[in-house]
Amino acid sequence: MENSSTEFQGFLLQARSRKGLALLWPVGKFTNISTTLFTALHCNNMENSTVSQASGVKKKKVQLTWEAPSNSSYGDIYFSATLVQDYTTFWVQLNTSTLRLDSNSAAGSRSFPPQLCSSSIC
């Protein structure tokens, strides 16, 4: 997205592994989800593994808390987002750089302001 003043009305966010077949499915889960702002989705039988908007209210950023999986076999992680500005303008596969799971830290909080989003970082 071009700049920080750009608003979006919809999003879908997942954490994914860069390792093998795990690449196809979300890993970890989002916690402390405000149901007035967000909708938690269960993908591949994983509770709260994906988050979306709860309404079409326009926003400039979202901030969520994500908990890493207790099984460290997933390897390196990245977040993948889809942002919808309107019905004709949207961005898919906005991926962060790789994040290495730290076994000493189980949860993390990360903000995804639209002005930072590109094909390689969000």
Side-chain angles (χ1 to χ4, degrees), residues 7-103:
E7 293 182 320
F8 58 97
Q9 63 183 11
F11 76 94
L12 185 76
L13 180 64
Q14 292 181 332
R16 295 184 179 173
S17 171
R18 294 208 182 268
K19 188 175 181 181
L21 293 177
L23 181 69
L24 303 174
W25 305 109
V27 297
K29 66 180 179 179
F30 292 93
T31 60
N32 304 319
I33 299 168
S34 168
T35 57
T36 59
L37 299 173
F38 308 114
T39 300
L41 303 169
H42 311 305
C43 294
N44 199 34
N45 294 320
M46 297 176 63
E47 186 175 344
N48 298 343
S49 61
T50 304
V51 178
S52 185
Q53 76 285 349
S55 73
V57 173
K58 293 186 178 187
K59 54 195 81 43
K60 291 184 182 180
K61 70 176 186 176
V62 298
Q63 186 168 338
L64 296 155
T65 302
W66 176 77
E67 185 178 309
S70 58
N71 181 348
S72 62
S73 68
Y74 289 105
D76 294 340
I77 302 295
Y78 68 100
F79 287 88
S80 185
T82 295
L83 297 179
V84 178
Q85 186 174 17
D86 56 46
Y87 290 107
T88 60
T89 307
F90 54 90
W91 297 265
V92 298
Q93 294 184 348
L94 298 171
N95 298 330
T96 64
S97 53
T98 299
L99 304 170
R100 176 133 310 145
L101 288 179
D102 179 357
S103 60

